[in-house]
């Protein structure tokens, strides 16, 4: 990093997920490794490589050890059944931390799922010798208490972790702006703090993370620009048909096609930012129980580096796309919208779940010096201590008499099941 010029390759997989990928440690490791194997032919042997995975790729780990829950067909039913099946672990969290049943379910399993997620991603970064943005997963915030990691009570953010090729932890970022599906009516995550967003200098750029919806928000982009971000990472999991209308329109009276709205994230950033030169936007596809995920992954940059006009379906061609995943078909707007409905979960159509998996890559170059390394957070210090073998996760949960909390738990479960409907998804 002593040289001003940084040349590197960016690689973005567009994977397809299935609920069965998360029912065991072995299945999850296999699915994650399959993405790096798909990227391997695109990796450059003569320069550093940056691989960016997709948003919430650890969320379905709540199904781990419960393959039977997949047969219930919807996330709402599976979650309610898992809360009942794991009541002994969920109840203490529900009472002690005053959170909802769905967040308590995730927090009760969070230590073991965090260990699996971090171990898997670190090993992949080392095995393939890449800088790895792991996508994102629901994760607590940890602090060190002596040599033990302790969770901040009740906190569960949509969080990105970045590893270097030697397995070193570079940094963590929380998603600030949550969608309705991530809030109380959905998986009930905690929003991140805008003031905590930082930029991480590496040989593959000054990395700023804007998870999904954050990449559409001027406050997030402005904070990353102010800290010298040159490469924006936008892990994504768009939970709706790609050719459907946008789900979170800024003006409800002017609802646009979703791909048109998507131009306001990575493409717009690199088209107009005075500092952020490149953006990487991987998108996961596939029907996960009753939820539909679709999109077109992209790598964007300055128009002079990508002069060929092209763009998402249902939008006009334009420069600025260094690499762009095709959608599953071409056709008229009416044909594309109909196909989007056919692909979606529960359609019953022969093309249901027939999404496109692919990998994008582009050679990138920066001629600016790296920004200063930010001060690590207590959370990052705790994770580094555990990764270095100098700290442990708690071995046992504190005991709590369940008779004190059954009433509260049952009331919470009643509230959860009464809202048993598909969460509002839409854009991002």
């Amino acid at each position: 990093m002593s040289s001003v010029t940084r040349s590197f390759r960016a690689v973005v997989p567009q994977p397809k997920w299935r609920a069965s990928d998360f029912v065991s440690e072995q299945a999850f490791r296999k699915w994650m490794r399959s993405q790096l194997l798909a990227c391997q032919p695109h990796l450059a042997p003569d320069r550093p490589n940056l691989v960016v995975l997709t948003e919430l790729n650890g969320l379905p780990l709540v199904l781990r050890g419960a393959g039977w829950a997949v047969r219930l067909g919807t996330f709402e039913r599976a979650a309610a059944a898992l809360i009942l099946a794991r009541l002994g672990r969920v109840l203490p969290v529900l009472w002690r931390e005053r959170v909802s049943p769905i967040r308590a379910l995730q927090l009760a399993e969070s230590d073991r799922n965090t260990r699996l997620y971090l171990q898997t991603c670190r090993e992949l970064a080392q095995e393939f010798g890449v800088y790895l943005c792991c996508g994102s997963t629901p994760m607590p915030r940890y602090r060190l208490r002596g040599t033990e990691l302790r969770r901040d009570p009740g906190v569960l953010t949509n969080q990105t972790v970045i590893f270097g090729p030697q397995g070193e932890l570079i940094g963590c970022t929380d998603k600030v702006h949550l969608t309705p599906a991530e809030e109380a009516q959905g998986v009930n995550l905690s929003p991140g703090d805008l003031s905590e967003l930082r930029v991480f200098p590496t040989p593959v750029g000054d990395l700023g993370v804007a998870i999904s919806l954050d990449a559409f928000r001027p406050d997030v982009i402005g904070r990353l620009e102010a800290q010298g971000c040159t490469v924006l990472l936008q892990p994504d999991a768009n939970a709706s048909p790609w050719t459907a209308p946008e789900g979170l329109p800024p003006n409800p009276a002017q609802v646009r096609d979703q791909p048109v709205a998507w131009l306001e994230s990575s493409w717009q950033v690199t088209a107009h930012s005075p500092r952020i030169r490149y953006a990487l936007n991987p998108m996961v596809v596939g029907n996960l129980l009753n939820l539909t995920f679709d999109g077109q992954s992209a790598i964007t940059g300055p128009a002079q580096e990508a002069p060929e006009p092209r763009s998402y379906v249902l939008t006009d061609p334009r420069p600025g796309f260094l690499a762009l995943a095709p959608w599953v078909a071409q056709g008229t707007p009416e044909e594309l919208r109909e196909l989007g409905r056919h692909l979606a979960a529960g359609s019953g159509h022969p093309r249901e779940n027939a999404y496109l998996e692919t990998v994008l890559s582009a050679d990138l170059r920066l001629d600016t010096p790296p920004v200063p390394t930010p001060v690590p957070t207590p959370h990052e210090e705790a994770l580094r201590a555990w990764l270095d073998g100098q700290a442990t996760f708690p071995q046992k949960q504190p005991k709590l008499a369940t008779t004190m909390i059954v009433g509260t738990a049952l009331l919470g479960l009643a509230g959860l099941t009464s809202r048993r409907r598909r969460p509002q998804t839409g854009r991002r």
Side-chain angles (χ1 to χ4, degrees):
M1 290 174 58
S2 58
S3 173
V4 170
T5 299
R6 288 175 283 176
S7 297
F8 56 98
R9 181 165 294 175
V11 184
V12 171
Q14 180 171 294
K16 182 178 179 180
W17 58 6
R18 303 161 184 83
S20 57
D21 294 326
F22 301 91
V23 299
S24 70
E25 174 181 337
Q26 294 75 18
F28 177 70
R29 287 182 178 275
K30 181 179 179 180
W31 180 67
M32 293 288 280
R33 189 168 187 270
S34 72
Q35 296 176 58
L36 272 294
L37 286 172
C39 291
Q40 193 168 36
H42 299 261
L43 300 178
D46 59 346
R47 71 200 74 177
N49 292 278
L50 169 63
V51 177
V52 184
L53 304 183
T54 56
E55 182 188 17
L56 289 175
N57 55 8
L59 169 65
L61 281 173
V62 71
L63 297 169
R64 182 180 170 196
W68 54 267
V70 174
R71 296 192 293 273
L72 297 176
T74 73
F75 260 115
E76 295 82 3
R77 293 171 186 163
L82 287 170
I83 290 169
L84 291 172
R86 298 170 180 172
L87 207 55
R89 297 195 297 274
V90 173
L91 286 176
V93 178
L94 187 69
W95 175 260
R96 188 171 55 245
E97 302 184 35
R98 305 295 184 180
V99 295
S100 69
I102 188 63
R103 191 183 294 186
L105 172 66
Q106 296 173 87
L107 287 171
E109 304 294 325
S110 61
D111 286 352
R112 74 180 192 127
N113 285 338
T114 294
R115 288 197 299 267
L116 172 60
Y117 189 83
L118 293 176
Q119 287 172 342
T120 299
C121 293
R122 183 192 203 188
E123 290 167 5
L124 290 174
Q126 292 173 314
E127 178 184 356
F128 291 89
V130 299
Y131 289 87
L132 182 65
C133 173
C134 304
S136 76
T137 190
M139 189 184 297
R141 298 293 294 270
Y142 290 98
R143 297 176 184 271
L144 279 175
R145 182 178 295 177
T147 60
E148 190 172 81
L149 273 65
R150 292 295 179 89
R151 292 193 291 105
D152 288 352
V155 176
L156 187 70
T157 64
N158 183 349
Q159 185 176 152
T160 286
V161 180
I162 303 173
F163 284 105
Q166 304 304 314
E168 67 274 27
L169 178 69
I170 292 173
C172 303
T173 297
D174 294 330
K175 186 175 182 180
V176 175
H177 298 283
L178 302 180
T179 66
E182 294 171 299
E183 294 176 323
Q185 297 301 311
V187 293
N188 195 212
L189 301 180
S190 310
D193 185 342
L194 178 68
S195 67
E196 293 183 355
L197 293 181
R198 290 157 302 135
V199 172
F200 307 101
T202 72
V204 292
D206 309 290
L207 306 179
V209 181
I211 301 172
S212 194
L213 183 56
D214 280 357
F216 296 75
R217 296 296 186 251
D219 57 348
V220 171
I221 300 304
R223 179 164 178 81
L224 296 176
E225 283 178 327
Q227 296 180 70
C229 174
T230 52
V231 179
L232 180 72
L233 311 182
Q234 184 188 346
D236 237 310
N238 171 49
S240 74
W242 183 235
T243 54
E246 61 179 325
L248 296 173
N251 182 357
Q254 296 181 354
V255 178
R256 305 159 296 178
D257 289 314
Q258 192 157 222
V260 175
W262 225 266
L263 289 168
E264 295 181 355
S265 59
S266 282
W267 180 85
Q268 179 173 277
V269 169
T270 54
H272 300 294
S273 173
R275 177 73 185 189
I276 301 174
R277 190 169 185 84
Y278 303 111
L280 284 64
N281 178 209
M283 303 185 72
V284 68
V285 297
N287 297 331
L288 200 67
L289 296 181
N290 59 318
L291 300 181
T292 293
F293 294 85
D294 194 10
Q296 288 178 262
S297 300
I299 301 174
T300 64
Q304 62 269 25
E305 293 187 31
E308 178 188 351
R310 51 182 170 172
S311 190
Y312 306 122
V313 295
L314 301 178
T315 69
D316 296 328
R318 65 201 65 225
F321 284 94
L322 291 158
L324 177 65
W327 198 54
V328 293
Q330 296 180 341
T332 66
E334 292 73 20
E335 291 170 338
L336 296 176
R337 294 185 184 105
E338 183 180 21
L339 179 55
R341 293 189 291 270
H342 290 165
L343 295 168
S347 73
H349 192 272
R351 296 197 68 174
E352 181 179 351
N353 206 28
Y355 299 99
L356 175 69
E357 297 178 80
T358 189
V359 176
L360 306 178
S361 62
D363 288 320
L364 310 181
R365 175 189 173 102
L366 295 169
D367 294 318
T368 54
V371 301
T373 300
V375 176
T377 64
H379 173 66
E380 289 166 342
E381 291 177 338
L383 294 187
R384 285 193 178 116
W386 176 74
L387 289 164
D388 292 341
Q390 298 173 0
T392 62
F393 283 89
Q395 298 302 307
K396 294 183 179 180
Q397 297 268 348
K399 293 183 179 180
L400 186 66
T402 57
T403 54
M404 298 174 59
I405 54 180
V406 169
T408 301
L410 292 178
L411 286 173
L413 287 173
L416 175 72
T417 54
S418 70
R419 296 193 300 269
R420 189 178 296 170
R421 59 179 178 82
R422 177 173 175 155
Q424 180 181 351
T425 53
R427 194 173 92 204
R428 305 176 286 285

